[in-house]
Amino acid sequence: PLGMSKDGDQDTFRRRRIAEIKNGRVAMWACMGYIVPEYFRFPGYCSPSTDLKFADIPNGIQALYKVPAEGWAQIAVFIGFLELFPG
C-alpha cells in the first residue's frame, strides 16, 4: 500500500518480510509478557540477594523500577545473544 516494494528488488522484499515477521513475533511475546503476570507468578525469588520475590514485583510499568539493574542487564545480554546468533 505504501509503495515500498515498487522497485521489484526480491532481496530487499525478502529482508523486509523477515524483519516484519520477527517484529510481529516480538510484539506477540511482549503482549504475553504483559498479560500472563496478571494470572500467574513464578514461585521463589527473582533476586535472592535483595530478598525480592516474583510475587513482590508489580505488573506493568512499575516493574521497571522494582527489578534490580543486574536483572535488566541479564535480559539485555540474553536478547543481544539471540540477535547475534539467530536460529
Side-chain angles (χ1 to χ4, degrees), residues 44-55:
Y45 288 89
C46 175
S47 177
S49 60
T50 60
D51 198 36
L52 179 64
K53 295 182 181 181
F54 285 107

Side-chain angles (χ1 to χ4, degrees), residues 16-38:
R16 288 180 179 150
R17 177 184 286 171
I18 290 170
E20 186 65 26
I21 290 171
K22 184 186 265 190
N23 290 337
R25 290 177 180 161
V26 169
M28 286 187 276
W29 276 109
C31 286
M32 290 300 296
Y34 203 79
I35 294 168
V36 169
E38 293 288 336

Side-chain angles (χ1 to χ4, degrees), residues 1-9 12-13 16:
L2 296 176
M4 297 180 87
S5 61
K6 278 187 176 180
D7 60 2
D9 185 12
T12 303
F13 179 76
R16 288 180 179 150

